[in-house]
Amino acid sequence: AEGQIVVLVSDEAGHELVVGQGSGFFIDFDFAHPHHRFSEICAGFYFTSHDPNGAYYYGADISVHPAYRGQGIGRQIYAARQALVKRYRRRGIVAGGLIPGYVNYKTTMSVQAYVDRVVAGELVDPTLTFQLRNGFRVRGLIPDYIEDSASDNWATLIEWGNPEWAAGPEPATPGRG
């Protein structure tokens, strides 16, 4: 349950509004066999693939209401995920990252060329550039990750490595939730 993050703000009348969210779960991830579909790794969107002893936090989803973007909310969600990973001494965060900016280039370059240029700082992708700025690195590409016409169903395989991770006894683990 701790891996589900909600960002609330109060409106003028004092009502709390949900303006951002991040969801995910602990899992063992096999980088030797990284190809997966979003619906499969999330167990049909029920997250029953959560393993309280999993080495990685799988970042399933993150979103910020359009009216609240550019205010650091996404960064706060990433920081909360990173704090969770550090607190439970996990290896890091792994995710399939959509590349919505590819829609503007898919007729002129391959997805690999696009991602390479974003990583090199030559192009800006609204999602991948943000992830790179938050310490993630691209580990590869995932074909047929999710139905998404902008990216032709591609996603990046991204990883954030916990700089405090060290093998050893694990702390108490969060339960299923």
Side-chain angles (χ1 to χ4, degrees), residues 9-55:
V9 298
S10 295
D11 67 9
E12 299 81 26
H15 300 103
E16 288 190 322
L17 306 171
V18 175
V19 298
Q21 68 81 34
S23 60
F25 49 92
F26 287 129
I27 191 170
D28 280 325
F29 191 83
D30 182 1
F31 284 100
H33 301 93
H35 295 265
H36 61 280
R37 294 185 58 83
F38 180 71
S39 61
E40 293 166 354
I41 203 157
C42 294
F45 312 109
Y46 289 101
F47 293 6
T48 55
S49 50
H50 168 69
D51 175 356
N53 297 310

Side-chain angles (χ1 to χ4, degrees), residues 93-144:
I93 301 170
V94 66
L98 298 183
I99 43 175
Y102 183 56
V103 70
N104 300 315
Y105 297 91
K106 65 184 183 177
T107 60
T108 60
M109 69 178 68
S110 70
V111 68
Q112 183 68 62
Y114 174 78
V115 169
D116 289 346
R117 291 188 64 190
V118 173
V119 169
E122 298 169 7
L123 295 175
V124 173
D125 181 89
T127 300
L128 181 55
T129 300
F130 177 74
Q131 292 162 334
L132 295 170
R133 288 181 182 155
N134 280 280
F136 284 83
R137 67 183 178 127
V138 175
R139 295 281 307 257
L141 292 171
I142 309 169
D144 297 318

